[in-house]
Amino acid sequence: MKKFFLSTTVLAIFACLLWATPFTAIKIGLKYTTPLQFAGVRFFLSGLLILPFIKDLKLKILKSKQRWKFVLWVALLQTTFLYGLFYIGISFLPGSLGAMLIGAQPLFAAIMAHIMLSNDKMSWKKIIAILLGMTGVCIISLGRSDFVLSTTIPLGVGILILNNIVGSTGNVIVSRDAKDMPPRVLASFSMIIGGIGLMLASVPIENPSWHFNFPTEYWISLCWLAMVSAFAITIWFGLLQRPNVKVSNLNTWKFIIPIFGAFLSWMILPDEHPDSISIIGMMVIACSLLAVNYLNRISI
């Protein structure tokens, strides 16, 4: 039973479930502060939350100093640049289009893995399976009613495409080069450094206030987001470091994030209800995940 719960599939699904929960909390937090500042504080706290769970912390810090360039690179790619581009890009786009572009991340992960890794090459069958998943994300996203054409759409599209490239490159680097670093150490240090980077970037870009005299709902949302990031990113880094896990296959599980997000909206929000378009999109995504996992099994 323990082996089942620690399997790559179960842990990947759990991480994606965690990533599907923050949207409401982000909306609450952004009522009181700016995007980059809020993201920076969130990830800084996430990194701090992991520290007490790292055994022999002083020894791990000393060892990590030898690879400070790698830790800094991961921090910039997986936190500062990734979430900085995400928050900026999403502000230029309607939610439905933003969701579709973010949902394309598994395709970019497969492309970057194909370019940067010798053991994770694309095949036509894998491409078709990933495109099927993207189709499901598009169906769910187009079911929303917030798509409005605007002159800022090309800029937003470009920023989110760059966001996908940055995130995918970070995934490949962690998978390829982090074999000797415990996931908790890498996740903690990279989020602390990346969070500081986001907060520093917010000063010239957003000129935010630093009084933090906010109501209780702000602190509840911030704490939840910090815990989600601490758990999900630590799990994800651990999975990326497993020798039998391919970046392209692992990232296809992110297709289920909009499914979890939709279910949570139906359960929590009184005005949200299941609709036929969303159900069809979910079924298409399910077919994509089944296809990718079948291809992964027959290639072993």
Side-chain angles (χ1 to χ4, degrees):
M1 184 62 70
K2 182 179 179 181
K3 185 178 180 181
F4 170 78
F5 285 111
L6 294 179
S7 67
T8 299
T9 298
V10 171
L11 289 176
I13 291 174
F14 180 63
C16 291
L17 174 59
L18 289 174
W19 273 320
T21 65
F23 298 107
T24 301
I26 290 173
K27 288 181 180 180
I28 292 172
L30 292 181
K31 292 193 297 183
Y32 304 102
T33 185
T34 56
L36 295 182
Q37 183 199 47
F38 189 50
V41 174
R42 166 191 176 181
F43 288 106
F44 181 74
L45 290 178
S46 295
L48 294 181
L49 284 174
I50 300 171
L51 288 178
F53 299 96
I54 299 176
K55 295 181 180 179
D56 303 320
L57 179 59
K58 291 183 179 179
L59 178 62
K60 298 289 175 58
I61 291 175
L62 291 174
K63 288 185 176 181
S64 298
K65 284 183 178 179
Q66 301 172 3
R67 300 202 64 192
W68 68 269
K69 290 183 179 179
F70 172 72
V71 175
L72 178 61
W73 189 226
V74 173
L76 291 175
L77 285 176
Q78 291 293 93
T79 303
T80 305
F81 294 154
L82 179 66
Y83 286 92
L85 290 168
F86 169 78
Y87 277 106
I88 293 172
I90 208 72
S91 66
F92 291 111
L93 297 171
S96 55
L97 182 56
M100 283 189 282
L101 289 167
I102 295 167
Q105 198 273 334
L107 176 61
F108 285 87
I111 293 172
M112 297 310 298
H114 178 83
I115 295 171
M116 300 174 66
L117 298 173
S118 60
N119 64 342
D120 196 353
K121 297 301 182 181
M122 297 275 277
S123 66
W124 282 111
K125 292 180 180 179
K126 183 181 289 187
I127 292 172
I128 292 171
I130 292 173
L131 290 177
L132 186 62
M134 287 179 58
T135 301
V137 173
C138 291
I139 292 172
I140 294 174
S141 301
L142 290 173
R144 299 169 55 168
S145 58
D146 59 354
F147 186 84
V148 179
L149 287 174
S150 70
T151 56
T152 60
I153 282 182
L155 177 61
V157 169
I159 291 173
L160 283 188
I161 288 176
L162 181 59
N163 167 270
N164 283 337
I165 294 172
V166 167
S168 300
T169 302
N171 269 226
V172 172
I173 288 175
V174 171
S175 176
R176 186 187 63 189
D177 302 330
K179 303 300 184 185
D180 59 338
M181 291 198 71
R184 293 177 189 174
V185 174
L186 183 58
S188 177
F189 294 174
S190 64
M191 282 194 283
I192 289 173
I193 296 169
I196 292 173
L198 284 167
M199 286 188 280
L200 291 175
S202 73
V203 175
I205 296 174
E206 300 173 336
N207 190 28
S209 171
W210 296 92
H211 62 79
F212 291 107
N213 184 23
F214 301 128
T216 303
E217 69 169 0
Y218 169 86
W219 295 108
I220 292 174
S221 67
L222 178 62
C223 289
W224 174 251
L225 290 168
M227 287 190 294
V228 165
S229 297
F231 277 105
I233 292 177
T234 300
I235 291 170
W236 204 255
F237 279 4
L239 294 177
L240 286 169
Q241 290 175 246
R242 290 185 174 183
N244 61 333
V245 171
K246 293 184 178 180
V247 175
S248 59
N249 293 334
L250 181 63
N251 274 270
T252 56
W253 286 109
K254 290 183 178 180
F255 283 137
I256 64 177
I257 293 176
I259 294 179
F260 285 146
F263 274 113
L264 289 170
S265 296
W266 296 336
M267 293 169 58
I268 297 172
L269 301 177
D271 297 330
E272 294 281 345
H273 305 285
D275 59 87
S276 57
I277 293 179
S278 296
I279 299 298
I280 293 171
M282 291 175 183
M283 292 174 64
V284 173
I285 290 174
C287 292
S288 168
L289 292 172
L290 289 172
V292 170
N293 279 274
Y294 173 75
L295 293 172
N296 186 37
R297 285 191 177 94
I298 64 175
S299 64
I300 294 176

Short mmCIF file of all heavy atoms in Angstrom, two decimals, residues 16-17 20-21 23 256-267 282:
data_model
loop_
_atom_site.label_atom_id
_atom_site.label_comp_id
_atom_site.label_asym_id
_atom_site.label_seq_id
_atom_site.Cartn_x
_atom_site.Cartn_y
_atom_site.Cartn_z
N CYS A 16 -0.81 17.80 -8.82
CA CYS A 16 -1.70 18.54 -9.72
C CYS A 16 -2.99 18.96 -9.00
O CYS A 16 -3.53 20.04 -9.26
CB CYS A 16 -2.02 17.70 -10.94
SG CYS A 16 -0.61 17.45 -12.05
N LEU A 17 -3.48 18.11 -8.10
CA LEU A 17 -4.65 18.48 -7.31
C LEU A 17 -4.34 19.71 -6.45
O LEU A 17 -5.16 20.64 -6.35
CB LEU A 17 -5.07 17.31 -6.42
CG LEU A 17 -6.20 17.58 -5.41
CD1 LEU A 17 -7.46 18.03 -6.12
CD2 LEU A 17 -6.48 16.35 -4.58
N ALA A 20 -4.36 22.85 -8.47
CA ALA A 20 -5.68 23.27 -8.95
C ALA A 20 -6.43 24.11 -7.92
O ALA A 20 -7.46 24.71 -8.25
CB ALA A 20 -6.52 22.03 -9.30
N THR A 21 -5.92 24.16 -6.69
CA THR A 21 -6.65 24.85 -5.61
C THR A 21 -6.36 26.34 -5.45
O THR A 21 -7.15 27.04 -4.82
CB THR A 21 -6.38 24.16 -4.26
OG1 THR A 21 -4.99 24.30 -3.93
CG2 THR A 21 -6.75 22.69 -4.32
N PHE A 23 -6.48 29.15 -7.23
CA PHE A 23 -7.02 30.25 -8.00
C PHE A 23 -7.88 31.20 -7.17
O PHE A 23 -7.76 32.42 -7.26
CB PHE A 23 -7.82 29.70 -9.19
CG PHE A 23 -6.97 28.89 -10.14
CD1 PHE A 23 -7.08 27.52 -10.19
CD2 PHE A 23 -6.06 29.52 -10.96
CE1 PHE A 23 -6.28 26.78 -11.04
CE2 PHE A 23 -5.25 28.79 -11.82
CZ PHE A 23 -5.37 27.41 -11.86
N ILE A 256 -4.63 17.43 -16.05
CA ILE A 256 -5.77 17.22 -15.15
C ILE A 256 -5.99 18.41 -14.21
O ILE A 256 -7.00 18.44 -13.50
CB ILE A 256 -5.61 15.93 -14.32
CG1 ILE A 256 -4.40 16.03 -13.39
CG2 ILE A 256 -5.52 14.72 -15.21
CD1 ILE A 256 -4.25 14.81 -12.49
N ILE A 257 -5.10 19.39 -14.23
CA ILE A 257 -5.30 20.56 -13.36
C ILE A 257 -6.61 21.29 -13.67
O ILE A 257 -7.37 21.62 -12.75
CB ILE A 257 -4.09 21.51 -13.45
CG1 ILE A 257 -2.84 20.84 -12.86
CG2 ILE A 257 -4.38 22.84 -12.72
CD1 ILE A 257 -1.57 21.65 -12.97
N PRO A 258 -6.93 21.56 -14.97
CA PRO A 258 -8.23 22.21 -15.22
C PRO A 258 -9.43 21.34 -14.84
O PRO A 258 -10.48 21.86 -14.49
CB PRO A 258 -8.20 22.48 -16.73
CG PRO A 258 -7.16 21.58 -17.29
CD PRO A 258 -6.14 21.44 -16.21
N ILE A 259 -9.25 20.01 -14.88
CA ILE A 259 -10.34 19.12 -14.45
C ILE A 259 -10.58 19.29 -12.96
O ILE A 259 -11.72 19.49 -12.50
CB ILE A 259 -10.01 17.65 -14.78
CG1 ILE A 259 -9.95 17.43 -16.29
CG2 ILE A 259 -11.03 16.72 -14.15
CD1 ILE A 259 -9.60 16.01 -16.70
N PHE A 260 -9.51 19.22 -12.18
CA PHE A 260 -9.65 19.43 -10.73
C PHE A 260 -10.19 20.83 -10.43
O PHE A 260 -11.01 21.01 -9.54
CB PHE A 260 -8.29 19.24 -10.04
CG PHE A 260 -7.86 17.81 -9.93
CD1 PHE A 260 -6.52 17.45 -10.00
CD2 PHE A 260 -8.79 16.79 -9.74
CE1 PHE A 260 -6.12 16.13 -9.89
CE2 PHE A 260 -8.40 15.47 -9.63
CZ PHE A 260 -7.06 15.14 -9.70
N GLY A 261 -9.69 21.82 -11.20
CA GLY A 261 -10.15 23.19 -10.98
C GLY A 261 -11.64 23.34 -11.22
O GLY A 261 -12.35 24.02 -10.46
N ALA A 262 -12.14 22.69 -12.27
CA ALA A 262 -13.57 22.75 -12.57
C ALA A 262 -14.39 22.07 -11.48
O ALA A 262 -15.41 22.61 -11.03
CB ALA A 262 -13.84 22.09 -13.92
N PHE A 263 -13.95 20.89 -11.04
CA PHE A 263 -14.67 20.19 -9.97
C PHE A 263 -14.72 21.01 -8.69
O PHE A 263 -15.76 21.08 -8.01
CB PHE A 263 -14.03 18.83 -9.70
CG PHE A 263 -14.54 17.73 -10.59
CD1 PHE A 263 -13.70 17.13 -11.53
CD2 PHE A 263 -15.85 17.30 -10.51
CE1 PHE A 263 -14.16 16.12 -12.36
CE2 PHE A 263 -16.33 16.29 -11.34
CZ PHE A 263 -15.48 15.69 -12.27
N LEU A 264 -13.60 21.64 -8.35
CA LEU A 264 -13.56 22.47 -7.14
C LEU A 264 -14.51 23.66 -7.26
O LEU A 264 -15.18 24.03 -6.29
CB LEU A 264 -12.13 22.94 -6.87
CG LEU A 264 -11.15 21.87 -6.40
CD1 LEU A 264 -9.72 22.40 -6.40
CD2 LEU A 264 -11.52 21.37 -5.02
N SER A 265 -14.57 24.25 -8.46
CA SER A 265 -15.49 25.38 -8.67
C SER A 265 -16.93 24.92 -8.52
O SER A 265 -17.76 25.62 -7.90
CB SER A 265 -15.28 25.97 -10.07
OG SER A 265 -13.98 26.51 -10.19
N TRP A 266 -17.26 23.75 -9.05
CA TRP A 266 -18.64 23.24 -8.94
C TRP A 266 -19.00 22.94 -7.49
O TRP A 266 -20.14 23.12 -7.07
CB TRP A 266 -18.79 21.97 -9.78
CG TRP A 266 -18.59 22.20 -11.24
CD1 TRP A 266 -18.75 23.38 -11.93
CD2 TRP A 266 -18.21 21.23 -12.23
NE1 TRP A 266 -18.48 23.21 -13.26
CE2 TRP A 266 -18.15 21.89 -13.48
CE3 TRP A 266 -17.91 19.86 -12.18
CZ2 TRP A 266 -17.81 21.24 -14.66
CZ3 TRP A 266 -17.57 19.22 -13.36
CH2 TRP A 266 -17.52 19.90 -14.58
N MET A 267 -18.00 22.50 -6.71
CA MET A 267 -18.26 22.14 -5.33
C MET A 267 -18.36 23.36 -4.41
O MET A 267 -19.14 23.38 -3.45
CB MET A 267 -17.16 21.21 -4.81
CG MET A 267 -17.15 19.83 -5.46
SD MET A 267 -15.66 18.88 -5.04
CE MET A 267 -15.76 18.84 -3.27
N MET A 282 -13.14 17.12 -20.46
CA MET A 282 -12.55 16.22 -19.47
C MET A 282 -12.37 14.82 -20.05
O MET A 282 -11.36 14.16 -19.80
CB MET A 282 -13.42 16.17 -18.22
CG MET A 282 -13.43 17.46 -17.43
SD MET A 282 -14.58 17.38 -16.04
CE MET A 282 -14.42 19.05 -15.38
#
